Amino acid sequence: MNIKIEQRKRVVIITLNRPKALNALNSELMREMVSVMQKLDKDPSVGCFVITGSKKAFAAGADIKEMENKSYMDMFHEDYFAAWEAFTAIRTPKIAAVSGYALGGGCELAMMCDIIYASNTAKFGQPEIKLGVIPGIGGTQRLTKMVGKTKAMDLILTGRLMNAEEAERSGLVSRIIPVETLLEESVEAAAIIASYSKTTAMVAREAIDRAMELSLREGVLYERRAFHALFATEHQKEGMQAFVEKRKANFSIP
Ligand code: CAA
């Protein structure tokens, strides 16, 4: 296996584990990760994923050695990288806990998660231009939406790396956490998310993702309808009753 899986109550930690290749994302790793996550996605007792790597590297990119000798026809017919769509289709919230290098596909993997927490040692970049290619797992699209056109152009055209402070300032990273406590603090945040209704969390993240794609008017309408739909759930009843009765809500599974 190219990943390690650990469950802590309702949180599942997935650790990329190809240390000799700085967690370069080959097809096998991607298939293993997606297949494990697809199963757990359906499990009501799993409320949040934390995806992490090592101190040195979250992931140093897609596997260059796997791609090096491929032809256009190989890439086209394999529809290389299309399988990552299955990762984005996972509906359980996903936190990327990034320490060290998050480059190319590594940065793109972090951006396919819902939240990015970075250690003070994190370095983000899309250096594909140095290899004669461009980002291929959504980098030109998601990075531009997340940090804006001019910063995305700067990073993708120069291939330079961005440290954690710049990444936080740019809106790519939601918090910087000391490297020693990155995983623990990420798991704590994941446990908070997992303590709420999984249904509500799934609806919330889907609504936020719509903001990346819809006009404000359509997005607000989508949100309002999703808000209305939650009134069909026991979790809305429990959450609001608990507030009125001045007790802690119990969002029992599912
Ligand atoms: N693919 C395959 N192997 C990789 C890799 C990658 N993306 N990144 C690192 N490795 C391997 C190295 O080849 C090396 O293996 P060997 O010991 O067998 O030579 C091992 O990991 C350690 O790497 P380095 O010796 O280079 O370590 P370093 O500390 O000197 O440098 C680094 C670290 C700056 C991250 C450097 O490894 C590097 O530049 N890596 C490539 C980064 C990159 O270009 N990423 C983009 C990949 S393309 C892509 O991701 C396309 C896309 O959009 C999806």
Side-chain angles (χ1 to χ4, degrees):
M1 285 285 269
N2 297 287
I3 53 171
K4 287 197 271 186
I5 302 145
E6 181 193 342
Q7 182 153 5
R8 292 194 202 164
K9 299 191 177 146
R10 287 169 54 73
V11 175
V12 173
I13 305 165
I14 299 189
T15 307
L16 309 179
N17 188 32
R18 294 188 70 211
K20 286 187 186 143
L22 301 182
N23 295 330
L25 304 165
N26 62 9
S27 303
E28 197 178 66
L29 182 153
M30 186 266 300
R31 272 195 299 272
E32 287 171 6
M33 182 161 68
V34 167
S35 132
V36 164
M37 290 177 78
Q38 279 174 333
K39 281 194 202 95
L40 295 171
D41 197 28
K42 304 269 178 290
D43 181 343
S45 75
V46 173
C48 194
F49 290 106
V50 174
I51 317 282
T52 195
S54 67
K55 278 205 172 114
K56 177 160 183 189
F58 176 72
D63 192 319
I64 300 167
K65 292 168 188 167
E66 181 178 277
M67 291 183 284
E68 183 190 358
N69 293 316
K70 285 189 188 287
S71 67
Y72 166 74
M73 291 301 267
D74 294 333
M75 295 304 254
F76 180 78
H77 286 285
E78 287 173 32
D79 204 2
Y80 200 75
F81 290 152
W84 282 103
E85 298 288 338
F87 180 88
T88 63
I90 303 287
R91 298 166 75 204
T92 306
K94 310 182 273 297
I95 296 176
V98 176
S99 180
Y101 296 113
L103 307 184
C107 186
E108 291 166 308
L109 173 61
M111 290 191 290
M112 285 188 280
C113 295
D114 300 315
I115 297 173
I116 305 179
Y117 294 143
S119 81
N120 48 306
T121 64
K123 287 192 176 61
F124 297 86
Q126 297 286 164
E128 288 89 344
I129 199 159
K130 296 181 182 172
L131 303 168
V133 291
I134 65 168
I137 321 179
T140 62
Q141 306 302 300
R142 288 197 181 89
L143 188 66
T144 306
K145 299 229 188 247
M146 291 174 84
V147 306
K149 174 183 159 177
T150 183
K151 178 80 77 179
M153 285 282 188
D154 175 18
L155 290 166
I156 291 170
L157 293 180
T158 68
R160 75 176 176 88
L161 308 193
M162 167 163 84
N163 66 19
E165 283 78 25
E166 185 181 357
E168 188 190 34
R169 229 174 25 243
S170 312
L172 182 68
V173 156
S174 65
R175 291 190 216 169
I176 302 177
I177 298 172
V179 64
E180 299 77 23
T181 54
L182 173 71
L183 183 61
E184 292 317 311
E185 290 194 40
S186 301
V187 171
E188 269 172 36
I192 291 172
I193 294 169
S195 73
Y196 302 127
S197 152
K198 181 167 179 174
T199 309
T200 309
M202 288 163 102
V203 172
R205 61 174 293 288
E206 280 178 8
I208 294 166
D209 274 348
R210 294 283 79 68
M212 304 279 259
E213 314 206 1
L214 299 180
S215 68
L216 181 62
R217 195 184 170 86
E218 289 299 316
V220 170
L221 177 61
Y222 179 94
E223 177 195 84
R224 196 159 63 241
R225 294 294 175 241
F227 180 79
H228 296 162
L230 287 168
F231 284 73
T233 67
E234 287 175 16
H235 297 148
Q236 172 270 327
K237 299 285 172 290
E238 167 62 11
M240 292 195 177
Q241 267 167 23
F243 176 82
V244 171
E245 291 166 10
K246 299 189 187 301
R247 61 177 172 81
K248 194 172 181 316
N250 172 22
F251 296 113
S252 57
I253 300 163

